[in-house]
Amino acid sequence: MSEQTVAIPPMPDTPPPSPSPQRRGRVPFLVGFGTGIVASGAVALVLFLTIGDSRPTAASVTAGSPSVNATPSAVATTEEVAEAPEEVFNSNPVAEDFTVTLRTTSKQCFGSAGCNITVEPKVSYAGLLPLDPGKEHSITYEVHGSEDGSIIQTMELSDQTSLSYRPTVLSTSTSKAKLTAKVTDVEERG
């Protein structure tokens, strides 16, 4: 038997089959249907997470505000819009509402003769209600750790952020002396 070679004519290039009219209509439908399911799931998740939350939402805060598509009859009048609640302040702050820490700004030691130290107060407020920003607060505190005994100082707090004081200069018997401070009195003025 002998080997035979047969020539096969080249195959013509055929374009891919075009989608049938029936199939073309399914793709947009399926994409739209899938998007709708995802959006519904996201809305359900947001609703699920906010159920029971007592804080006002953006929708409840702006419920009285007219929307872009609102009709004139749907616009709320100023009488219907609730006023913001008045802010409540701590009208009687006490010493326990404040803490004072000391920051050493200079220290000069003389061996066994002790040290001269300058400290400045740093005050913190921990009351349940905020302080009235329109009033000044005179805060008296006591510095402990000096070789001469306790030192009483007063600082003024205004606008809840502005603190004025005089630095405390004291002497200690050693460079390892521990200096502490405690608020002893608060007086509200203004």
Side-chain angles (χ1 to χ4, degrees), residues 29-156:
F29 172 76
L30 291 176
V31 168
F33 183 72
T35 304
I37 289 176
V38 170
S40 298
V43 169
L45 178 62
V46 168
L47 289 174
F48 177 75
L49 293 175
T50 58
I51 289 177
D53 193 343
S54 62
R55 295 177 294 189
T57 61
S60 67
V61 171
T62 60
S65 303
S67 67
V68 174
N69 298 325
T71 61
S73 62
V75 176
T77 63
T78 55
E79 291 82 29
E80 295 173 354
V81 177
E83 291 182 24
E86 196 172 306
E87 194 167 355
V88 179
F89 299 108
N90 185 349
S91 61
N92 191 24
V94 294
E96 290 76 25
D97 292 339
F98 296 89
T99 56
V100 174
T101 56
L102 299 173
R103 189 181 121 223
T104 302
T105 57
S106 73
K107 186 176 192 177
Q108 187 176 17
C109 294
F110 307 100
S112 63
C115 299
N116 290 332
I117 302 174
T118 303
V119 293
E120 294 180 351
K122 181 179 177 188
V123 67
S124 298
Y125 175 71
L128 295 176
L129 295 173
L131 294 172
D132 188 343
K135 296 190 177 180
E136 288 188 6
H137 297 85
S138 179
I139 303 168
T140 303
Y141 62 102
E142 196 169 338
V143 178
H144 301 279
S146 170
E147 69 182 357
D148 297 329
S150 298
I151 299 172
I152 297 175
Q153 292 281 34
T154 302
M155 60 183 141
E156 303 294 326

Side-chain angles (χ1 to χ4, degrees), residues 15-35:
S18 63
S20 66
Q22 182 183 16
R23 194 168 200 178
R24 271 187 278 193
R26 284 188 208 169
V27 173
F29 172 76
L30 291 176
V31 168
F33 183 72
T35 304

